[in-house]
Amino acid sequence: MTHYLYRIAEDLVKEKLENYWPGFELVAYALYDKRNVYLFNHPKFSSNQQDRFHILRWDVQFTGDTIIIYEEYPTAIVNMESYEEYEGLYSILIHELFHGHQYIKSEKRFPDEMMGITYPLSKGNVELRNQERTNLYNALLENNIIKKKQYLNTFIALREKRTAKIKGYLTYEKLIETIEGPALYVELKAYSEKSPLDYDSVLRKYGQDLINKYESTSNIRRSSYSSGLFMCLLLEELSPGWMESFFDIEDTLYDLLKQQSGDYMEYSIADVKISSETEEVVNFAMEKRFKAFEEFNEQAGIHLYIEGELTAKSFDPMNIIPLEDRLLHKSFIKVRMNNQDFLIQQPVIAHVDNGIQNINKLHLILENAPIENIDSITINDVGEIKGRYKKQENILHLLID
């Protein structure tokens, strides 16, 4: 994908970004692979005028597709090896650059991630939520203005009924929508611009995340991106210019959209009846969680249990599966133990107590045996962890001080 570096630099100009969002400010950005990091637009690094980027050796700071503070400056990072086509790479970079723009604009409407991980799988809530998402999808795609308003009013009435049931968890959804919806909105615009697909096809492609009941129930956080996206697209229709003052207000996207419907209270929502499909959807979501933990435990390798006082310092909230008092971190977790930080870039189960950051046991499975020292073990690509350990066949217990 390195052959796209020059094209990326040519595409990311102020005029282009302004087409996606008014006043879109370009922060630093980096594309990376397993060996190198190609850093653009960073104030602390001079770039070759011809190449337009500064080359660094890859290190653990560059993990995932996200926004980081690199050398005291917001920097969007994207793994080039995750994308085969230019439109995918370019659009996800625009998504992450928008998070950099949010940082510059001092965005504060961030959710409490604990709410997402403890989000209850209530059948009543799932029933209403999926009805709600279908009406939101239909509201955008409907061309008849009267029917469009009916779908919108039903969407809002359903959400208001749901708010009374789950309160704080609905606040979590609204804040995720507000942070991630606009980022997905500019991503869609960028993807549509570069893709050979027509706009309606792109819209339906992104809309699948909104109306897929099984996946949206299995991942509340991720599915809130698409509901936020469709709110942005509806606001574009119903309230042109809504983006101009977006960072000057405290309202969520839902608050803004609700202002476009004055008569949603006329749409009374009867007591919810749990459909057989919702029963299947909830069972699917729970079985998916159990299966993820089973598949983890069935991996070949050396099972390492690290016990003691550990603290989660950073993780990917999009890739966490909760089950009772355990969290399966699918991508990475950075933990502090023995007053030192360790980055573990593989699936790991954290046993938590009183909050997602307080860990009493970590379970990871190693391909290669760690080096056993007198008072520590050394794990490839993780480091040396001090503590007392005991070994039994392919199971290793490490008790940290």
Side-chain angles (χ1 to χ4, degrees), residues 210-328:
L210 183 65
I211 58 176
N212 186 321
K213 297 176 183 178
Y214 290 87
E215 292 304 321
S216 65
T217 304
S218 298
N219 194 328
I220 297 296
R221 189 185 200 280
R222 179 71 195 182
S223 64
S224 296
Y225 290 27
S226 54
S227 50
L229 164 64
F230 271 61
M231 289 184 204
C232 289
L233 293 167
L234 271 170
L235 284 168
E236 188 178 70
E237 278 188 35
L238 302 173
S239 181
W242 69 275
M243 296 173 285
E244 298 288 348
S245 60
F246 187 66
F247 292 108
D248 301 324
I249 59 176
E250 296 181 0
D251 293 352
T252 64
L253 280 175
Y254 175 68
D255 295 330
L256 295 178
L257 190 60
K258 188 176 169 183
Q259 292 167 18
Q260 300 304 312
S261 173
D263 51 0
Y264 71 89
M265 294 185 70
E266 297 176 9
Y267 287 69
S268 60
I269 304 298
D271 289 339
V272 61
K273 181 180 179 181
I274 309 302
S275 67
S276 58
E277 184 181 30
T278 293
E279 297 274 3
E280 291 176 8
V281 162
V282 172
N283 289 337
F284 172 85
M286 287 305 300
E287 287 171 9
K288 194 172 180 180
R289 292 185 188 184
F290 280 112
K291 187 176 181 181
F293 279 81
E294 283 178 4
E295 289 177 348
F296 176 89
N297 285 311
E298 289 169 359
Q299 293 176 87
I302 297 170
H303 290 249
L304 171 62
Y305 295 89
I306 305 173
E307 300 182 55
E309 190 174 326
L310 303 91
T311 304
K313 300 300 291 183
S314 65
F315 47 81
D316 180 359
M318 268 183 55
N319 285 294
I320 296 177
I321 300 175
L323 187 64
E324 298 169 347
D325 63 345
R326 294 172 290 165
L327 301 174
L328 173 55

Side-chain angles (χ1 to χ4, degrees), residues 102 355 378:
Q102 288 170 322
T378 302

Side-chain angles (χ1 to χ4, degrees), residues 348-362:
V348 57
I349 291 176
H351 293 248
V352 296
D353 181 29
N354 192 29
I356 59 178
Q357 291 183 299
N358 302 317
I359 301 171
N360 53 55
K361 181 163 64 176
L362 275 183

Side-chain angles (χ1 to χ4, degrees), residues 286-401:
M286 287 305 300
E287 287 171 9
K288 194 172 180 180
R289 292 185 188 184
F290 280 112
K291 187 176 181 181
F293 279 81
E294 283 178 4
E295 289 177 348
F296 176 89
N297 285 311
E298 289 169 359
Q299 293 176 87
I302 297 170
H303 290 249
L304 171 62
Y305 295 89
I306 305 173
E307 300 182 55
E309 190 174 326
L310 303 91
T311 304
K313 300 300 291 183
S314 65
F315 47 81
D316 180 359
M318 268 183 55
N319 285 294
I320 296 177
I321 300 175
L323 187 64
E324 298 169 347
D325 63 345
R326 294 172 290 165
L327 301 174
L328 173 55
H329 293 264
K330 293 169 61 181
S331 54
F332 76 91
I333 184 173
K334 182 185 284 187
V335 293
R336 170 154 289 193
M337 39 190 164
N338 298 328
N339 295 316
Q340 188 176 352
D341 290 346
F342 295 88
L343 178 65
I344 302 172
Q345 292 180 273
Q346 66 177 72
V348 57
I349 291 176
H351 293 248
V352 296
D353 181 29
N354 192 29
I356 59 178
Q357 291 183 299
N358 302 317
I359 301 171
N360 53 55
K361 181 163 64 176
L362 275 183
H363 178 195
L364 54 155
I365 300 175
L366 308 175
E367 281 187 34
N368 303 309
I371 299 171
E372 300 176 27
N373 310 306
I374 296 175
D375 61 349
S376 67
I377 62 169
T378 302
I379 305 170
N380 188 35
D381 295 327
V382 176
E384 182 184 8
I385 306 172
K386 293 189 177 295
R388 293 174 283 116
Y389 63 88
K390 60 181 179 179
K391 185 177 181 182
Q392 184 178 3
E393 296 181 348
N394 71 330
I395 300 175
L396 189 62
H397 287 271
L398 176 66
L399 182 64
I400 63 173
D401 299 329

Side-chain angles (χ1 to χ4, degrees), residues 2 4-6 8-9 12 26-33 35-59 61-62 66-78 80 93 97:
T2 54
Y4 286 141
L5 293 173
Y6 302 102
I8 286 278
L12 288 179
L26 182 66
V27 297
Y29 59 99
L31 302 174
Y32 69 90
D33 54 29
R35 298 181 60 189
N36 295 317
V37 175
Y38 304 92
L39 182 64
F40 297 76
N41 200 43
H42 198 292
K44 288 196 174 181
F45 293 85
S46 58
S47 300
N48 181 303
Q49 190 63 34
Q50 181 178 352
D51 290 340
R52 303 186 186 181
F53 51 80
H54 184 85
I55 302 177
L56 306 166
R57 296 298 294 172
W58 180 88
D59 66 40
Q61 294 179 80
F62 297 91
T66 188
I67 189 84
I68 64 172
I69 303 302
Y70 181 68
E71 294 291 335
E72 303 178 345
Y73 192 74
T75 305
I77 65 170
V78 172
M80 287 188 293
L93 179 57
L97 280 167

